[in-house]
Coordinates of all heavy atoms in Angstrom, one line a residue:
Q23 N 289.1 120.9 -145.0 CA 289.3 122.3 -144.7 C 290.7 122.6 -144.3 O 291.1 123.8 -144.2 CB 288.4 122.7 -143.5 CG 286.9 122.6 -143.8 CD 286.1 123.0 -142.6 OE1 286.5 123.9 -141.9 NE2 285.0 122.3 -142.3
A24 N 291.6 121.6 -144.1 CA 292.9 121.8 -143.6 C 293.8 122.6 -144.6 O 293.7 122.3 -145.8 CB 293.6 120.5 -143.3
D25 N 294.5 123.6 -144.1 CA 295.5 124.2 -144.9 C 296.8 123.4 -144.9 O 297.6 123.6 -145.9 CB 295.8 125.7 -144.4 CG 294.5 126.5 -144.5 OD1 294.1 126.8 -145.6 OD2 293.9 126.9 -143.4
L26 N 297.0 122.6 -143.9 CA 298.2 121.8 -143.8 C 297.9 120.6 -142.9 O 297.4 120.7 -141.8 CB 299.4 122.6 -143.2 CG 300.8 121.9 -143.3 CD1 301.2 121.8 -144.8 CD2 301.8 122.7 -142.5
I27 N 298.3 119.4 -143.4 CA 298.2 118.2 -142.6 C 299.6 117.8 -142.2 O 300.5 117.7 -143.1 CB 297.5 117.1 -143.4 CG1 296.1 117.5 -143.8 CG2 297.4 115.8 -142.6 CD1 295.6 116.8 -145.0
V28 N 299.9 117.7 -140.9 CA 301.2 117.4 -140.4 C 301.2 115.9 -139.9 O 300.6 115.7 -138.9 CB 301.6 118.4 -139.4 CG1 303.1 118.1 -138.9 CG2 301.5 119.8 -139.9
F29 N 302.0 115.0 -140.6 CA 302.1 113.7 -140.1 C 303.4 113.7 -139.2 O 304.5 113.9 -139.6 CB 302.3 112.7 -141.2 CG 301.1 112.1 -141.7 CD1 300.2 112.7 -142.6 CD2 300.7 110.8 -141.3 CE1 299.1 112.1 -143.0 CE2 299.5 110.2 -141.7 CZ 298.7 110.9 -142.6
V30 N 303.2 113.4 -137.9 CA 304.3 113.4 -136.9 C 304.7 111.9 -136.7 O 303.8 111.1 -136.3 CB 303.9 114.1 -135.6 CG1 305.0 114.0 -134.6 CG2 303.5 115.5 -135.8
F31 N 306.0 111.7 -136.9 CA 306.5 110.3 -136.6 C 307.5 110.4 -135.5 O 308.3 111.4 -135.4 CB 307.2 109.8 -137.8 CG 306.3 109.5 -139.0 CD1 306.2 110.5 -140.0 CD2 305.6 108.3 -139.1 CE1 305.3 110.2 -141.1 CE2 304.7 108.1 -140.2 CZ 304.6 109.0 -141.2
E32 N 307.7 109.3 -134.7 CA 308.8 109.2 -133.8 C 310.0 109.0 -134.6 O 310.1 108.1 -135.5 CB 308.5 108.0 -132.9 CG 309.6 107.8 -131.8 CD 309.4 106.5 -131.1 OE1 308.5 105.7 -131.4 OE2 310.1 106.3 -130.1
S33 N 311.0 109.8 -134.4 CA 312.2 109.8 -135.3 C 312.9 108.4 -135.3 O 313.5 108.0 -136.3 CB 313.2 110.9 -134.9 OG 313.7 110.7 -133.6
K34 N 312.8 107.7 -134.2 CA 313.5 106.4 -134.1 C 312.8 105.4 -134.9 O 313.5 104.4 -135.4 CB 313.4 105.9 -132.6 CG 314.4 106.6 -131.7 CD 314.3 106.0 -130.3 CE 315.3 106.6 -129.3 NZ 315.2 106.0 -128.0
N35 N 311.5 105.5 -135.2 CA 310.8 104.5 -136.0 C 309.6 105.1 -136.7 O 308.5 105.0 -136.2 CB 310.3 103.3 -135.1 CG 309.7 102.2 -135.9 OD1 309.7 102.2 -137.1 ND2 309.2 101.2 -135.2
P36 N 309.9 105.6 -137.9 CA 308.8 106.2 -138.7 C 308.1 105.3 -139.6 O 307.4 105.7 -140.6 CB 309.5 107.3 -139.5 CG 310.9 106.7 -139.7 CD 311.2 105.9 -138.5
Y37 N 308.2 104.0 -139.4 CA 307.7 103.0 -140.3 C 306.5 102.2 -139.8 O 306.1 101.2 -140.4 CB 308.8 102.0 -140.7 CG 310.1 102.7 -141.1 CD1 311.3 102.6 -140.3 CD2 310.2 103.4 -142.3 CE1 312.4 103.3 -140.7 CE2 311.4 104.1 -142.7 CZ 312.5 104.0 -141.9 OH 313.6 104.7 -142.2
R38 N 306.0 102.6 -138.7 CA 304.9 101.9 -138.1 C 303.6 101.9 -139.0 O 303.3 103.0 -139.6 CB 304.6 102.4 -136.7 CG 305.7 102.0 -135.8 CD 305.5 102.3 -134.3 NE 306.7 102.0 -133.6 CZ 307.0 102.5 -132.4 NH1 306.2 103.3 -131.9 NH2 308.1 102.1 -131.8
E39 N 302.9 100.8 -139.0 CA 301.9 100.6 -140.0 C 300.7 101.6 -139.8 O 300.1 102.1 -140.8 CB 301.4 99.2 -140.0 CG 300.4 98.9 -141.0 CD 299.8 97.4 -141.0 OE1 300.3 96.7 -140.1 OE2 299.0 97.1 -141.8
S40 N 300.3 101.8 -138.6 CA 299.0 102.6 -138.4 C 299.0 104.0 -139.0 O 298.0 104.4 -139.6 CB 298.6 102.6 -136.9 OG 299.4 103.5 -136.2
A41 N 300.2 104.7 -138.9 CA 300.2 106.0 -139.5 C 300.1 106.0 -141.0 O 299.4 106.8 -141.6 CB 301.5 106.7 -139.0
W42 N 300.8 105.0 -141.6 CA 300.7 104.9 -143.0 C 299.4 104.4 -143.5 O 298.9 104.7 -144.6 CB 301.9 104.1 -143.6 CG 303.2 104.7 -143.4 CD1 304.2 104.5 -142.4 CD2 303.7 105.9 -144.1 NE1 305.2 105.3 -142.5 CE2 305.0 106.2 -143.6 CE3 303.3 106.6 -145.2 CZ2 305.8 107.2 -144.0 CZ3 304.1 107.6 -145.7 CH2 305.3 107.9 -145.1
K43 N 298.8 103.6 -142.7 CA 297.4 103.1 -143.0 C 296.4 104.2 -143.0 O 295.6 104.3 -143.8 CB 297.0 102.0 -142.0 CG 295.7 101.3 -142.3 CD 295.5 100.1 -141.3 CE 294.2 99.4 -141.6 NZ 293.9 98.4 -140.6
F44 N 296.6 105.1 -142.0 CA 295.7 106.3 -142.0 C 295.9 107.2 -143.2 O 295.0 107.8 -143.7 CB 295.9 107.1 -140.7 CG 294.9 108.3 -140.6 CD1 293.6 108.1 -140.3 CD2 295.4 109.6 -140.8 CE1 292.7 109.2 -140.3 CE2 294.5 110.6 -140.7 CZ 293.2 110.4 -140.5
F45 N 297.2 107.3 -143.6 CA 297.5 108.1 -144.7 C 296.7 107.6 -145.9 O 296.2 108.4 -146.8 CB 299.0 107.9 -145.0 CG 299.5 108.7 -146.2 CD1 300.0 110.0 -146.1 CD2 299.4 108.2 -147.5 CE1 300.5 110.7 -147.2 CE2 299.9 108.9 -148.6 CZ 300.4 110.1 -148.4
D46 N 296.5 106.3 -146.0 CA 295.7 105.7 -147.2 C 294.2 106.1 -147.2 O 293.6 106.1 -148.2 CB 295.8 104.2 -147.2 CG 297.2 103.7 -147.5 OD1 298.0 104.5 -148.2 OD2 297.6 102.6 -147.1
Y47 N 293.7 106.6 -146.0 CA 292.3 107.0 -145.9 C 292.2 108.4 -146.6 O 291.1 108.8 -146.9 CB 291.9 107.1 -144.5 CG 291.4 105.8 -143.9 CD1 292.2 105.2 -142.9 CD2 290.3 105.1 -144.3 CE1 291.8 104.0 -142.3 CE2 289.9 103.9 -143.8 CZ 290.7 103.4 -142.8 OH 290.3 102.2 -142.2
I48 N 293.3 109.1 -146.7 CA 293.2 110.5 -147.1 C 293.1 110.6 -148.7 O 293.9 110.0 -149.4 CB 294.3 111.4 -146.6 CG1 294.3 111.4 -145.1 CG2 294.3 112.8 -147.1 CD1 295.5 112.1 -144.5
S49 N 292.1 111.3 -149.1 CA 291.9 111.4 -150.6 C 293.1 112.0 -151.3 O 293.8 112.8 -150.8 CB 290.6 112.3 -150.8 OG 290.5 112.6 -152.2
E50 N 293.3 111.5 -152.5 CA 294.4 112.0 -153.4 C 294.4 113.5 -153.5 O 295.5 114.1 -153.4 CB 294.2 111.4 -154.8 CG 294.4 109.9 -154.9 CD 295.8 109.5 -155.0 OE1 296.7 110.4 -155.2 OE2 296.1 108.3 -154.7
E51 N 293.2 114.1 -153.6 CA 293.2 115.6 -153.8 C 293.8 116.4 -152.6 O 294.1 117.5 -152.8 CB 291.8 116.0 -154.1 CG 290.8 115.8 -153.0 CD 289.4 116.0 -153.4 OE1 288.8 115.0 -153.9 OE2 288.9 117.1 -153.3
W52 N 293.8 115.8 -151.4 CA 294.3 116.5 -150.3 C 295.8 116.3 -150.0 O 296.4 116.9 -149.1 CB 293.5 116.1 -149.0 CG 292.0 116.4 -149.2 CD1 291.4 117.4 -149.9 CD2 291.0 115.5 -148.7 NE1 290.1 117.3 -149.8 CE2 289.8 116.1 -149.1 CE3 290.9 114.4 -147.9 CZ2 288.5 115.6 -148.8 CZ3 289.7 113.9 -147.6 CH2 288.5 114.5 -148.0
R53 N 296.4 115.4 -150.7 CA 297.8 115.1 -150.4 C 298.8 116.2 -150.7 O 299.9 116.2 -150.1 CB 298.2 113.8 -151.2 CG 297.5 112.6 -150.7 CD 298.0 111.3 -151.2 NE 297.2 110.2 -150.7 CZ 297.5 108.9 -151.0 NH1 298.5 108.6 -151.8 NH2 296.7 108.0 -150.4
K54 N 298.4 117.2 -151.5 CA 299.3 118.3 -151.7 C 299.5 119.1 -150.5 O 300.4 120.0 -150.5 CB 298.8 119.1 -152.9 CG 297.5 119.8 -152.6 CD 296.9 120.6 -153.8 CE 295.7 121.4 -153.5 NZ 294.6 120.8 -152.9
K55 N 298.7 119.0 -149.5 CA 298.8 119.8 -148.3 C 299.6 119.1 -147.2 O 299.5 119.5 -146.0 CB 297.4 120.1 -147.8 CG 296.4 120.7 -148.7 CD 295.1 120.9 -148.1 CE 294.0 121.4 -149.0 NZ 292.7 121.5 -148.3
I56 N 300.3 118.0 -147.4 CA 300.9 117.2 -146.4 C 302.4 117.5 -146.2 O 303.1 117.7 -147.2 CB 300.7 115.7 -146.7 CG1 299.2 115.4 -146.5 CG2 301.6 114.9 -145.8 CD1 298.9 113.9 -146.9
V57 N 302.8 117.6 -144.9 CA 304.2 117.6 -144.6 C 304.4 116.5 -143.5 O 303.5 116.1 -142.8 CB 304.8 118.9 -144.1 CG1 304.7 120.0 -145.1 CG2 304.1 119.3 -142.8

């Protein structure tokens, strides 16, 4: 239902695995709504 999904990263280290791992749970069709 989301109009926008906002992935917030700590600017010092945006490479931590758990955020990107969660990203992988999100279906391909919803990725157009991500910033």
Side-chain angles (χ1 to χ4, degrees):
Q23 296 179 38
D25 295 294
L26 191 67
I27 300 157
V28 182
F29 267 82
V30 178
F31 295 96
E32 182 186 11
S33 62
K34 286 182 175 180
N35 186 3
Y37 310 110
R38 293 189 180 155
E39 185 183 359
S40 71
W42 292 104
K43 189 175 178 184
F44 182 73
F45 181 94
D46 292 335
Y47 279 112
I48 298 175
S49 169
E50 292 281 342
E51 64 193 87
W52 302 324
R53 292 190 180 181
K54 65 184 188 310
K55 305 176 183 180
I56 290 176
V57 298

